[in-house]
Amino acid sequence: MADRERVIAYRVAAHQFDRGTADASDLRVLDLGLQDSERSAVPALAARLDRVPDLDAFTLTWSVRGAPHWHRTDEVPALAARLWPLSDADAVARMNRPPVEDGLAALHEVASALREVVTEPMTKGEASSRLTSRVRPELTGWCRGCDATHVLDPIFRLAVLPAGLRFDPAERTVTFVPLEDRRDVPDASRGFDALITDYLRLHGPAGPSEVAHYFGAPVREVKDVWPDDLVPVSKRAWLPADRVEAFENPPDPEVVRLLPPLDPYLNARDRDLLVPDKEHQKQVWRILGRRGALLVDGDVLGTWQAKATGSRLDVKVSPFVPLDVDMFAEEATRLAVARGLDEARVG
């Protein structure tokens, strides 16, 4: 196998697209959390499992990059310390660079105040309005959409998990609920090296640059905590020791899948490897009007969109190369069932 072919084959296997795993809790994508922006979690699970589980068994909160992710419930309390920024510069970067230098103190200030505010289920709007007066003015700003001054959204999002909060997924409006095992706001980062290892198990081989980009952290800080026990497989890419054999002998990536926008497979930060053609990259990672990706034997060979028409899911595929659209019929049906629909049509 050529280098790219081997990496792609390894990742397809690491992402468990073979549907050989019956329990969602055993999926490696949950090691980092399963992003659910734009309802991406259910189709991502449908691409990996024969049956999509009840997500109520997991916990939804803002975590990696301040985006909504599902996590294993028993792992959430410790996750706040793992994701806690590594330095003031790291905190400022993750908070989208507010006008402060003491980034760690600023984030701790907001998270502590939010923890005091939300002691029972509370909507985001109510929590935000109560929070504003409790923090320094430079951490707030005028919001035209809300017609109010409140804590800057990137800071607010990063503070939710350290404040010990999750979402109530049954509510249509974002509603926070205190975690049962609610811990104090972290005072230091603990366990980020484990997150590096989790990233490499799923998205490796890779280096500090890709890991830093994924978490929104500066590369320098990630290099400072880079685990010593990783195995280099090239000058700029590493793997955990327990994954080297899997990388050396990966199975052929013979799968056809409809990956949703923001699927974990597409969240790896080496996009040139996943989709070498720059014009195709623009279609796969559109800024507006996101589309899913057609995964065929490890390669992203096009995009797709879907629309529910009554009880049917209409899937429109836009391949980059000539493809028989019938190869996606079974996957479209699986996706329809996962969304609670009766049938699917591919065109």
Side-chain angles (χ1 to χ4, degrees), residues 158-180:
L158 287 177
V160 164
L161 179 58
L165 304 178
R166 64 174 178 87
F167 296 156
D168 183 348
E171 297 291 340
R172 301 186 67 177
T173 300
V174 174
T175 300
F176 300 124
V177 180
L179 294 171
E180 291 185 6

Side-chain angles (χ1 to χ4, degrees), residues 146-168:
C146 299
D147 192 26
T149 296
H150 56 62
V151 172
L152 298 170
D153 191 61
I155 305 176
F156 190 100
R157 285 173 172 265
L158 287 177
V160 164
L161 179 58
L165 304 178
R166 64 174 178 87
F167 296 156
D168 183 348

Side-chain angles (χ1 to χ4, degrees), residues 241-269:
D242 61 2
R243 299 300 296 164
V244 172
E245 183 177 353
F247 173 68
E248 291 176 345
N249 299 285
D252 291 334
E254 297 176 350
V255 296
V256 173
R257 297 289 183 268
L258 293 171
L259 303 185
L262 302 172
D263 185 272
Y265 187 80
L266 303 174
N267 273 341
R269 285 326 198 235

Side-chain angles (χ1 to χ4, degrees), residues 97-169:
R97 294 174 173 79
V100 297
E101 294 183 359
D102 58 340
L104 290 172
L107 182 57
H108 196 282
E109 177 182 341
V110 175
S112 298
L114 187 59
R115 192 181 190 281
E116 294 175 358
V117 164
V118 184
T119 57
E120 59 184 7
M122 185 179 297
T123 65
K124 178 190 175 187
E126 184 178 358
S128 178
S129 64
R130 295 188 183 188
L131 178 66
T132 302
S133 62
R134 294 170 176 255
V135 301
R136 66 182 98 165
E138 55 263 43
L139 302 178
T140 69
W142 175 257
C143 175
R144 181 178 299 177
C146 299
D147 192 26
T149 296
H150 56 62
V151 172
L152 298 170
D153 191 61
I155 305 176
F156 190 100
R157 285 173 172 265
L158 287 177
V160 164
L161 179 58
L165 304 178
R166 64 174 178 87
F167 296 156
D168 183 348

Side-chain angles (χ1 to χ4, degrees), residues 1 35 58 65 73 81 118 233 283 306 311-312 319 324:
M1 274 187 185
Q35 190 168 347
F58 302 93
R65 301 181 307 278
T73 297
V118 184
V233 297
Q283 296 302 312
S311 61
R312 186 185 71 217
D324 181 359

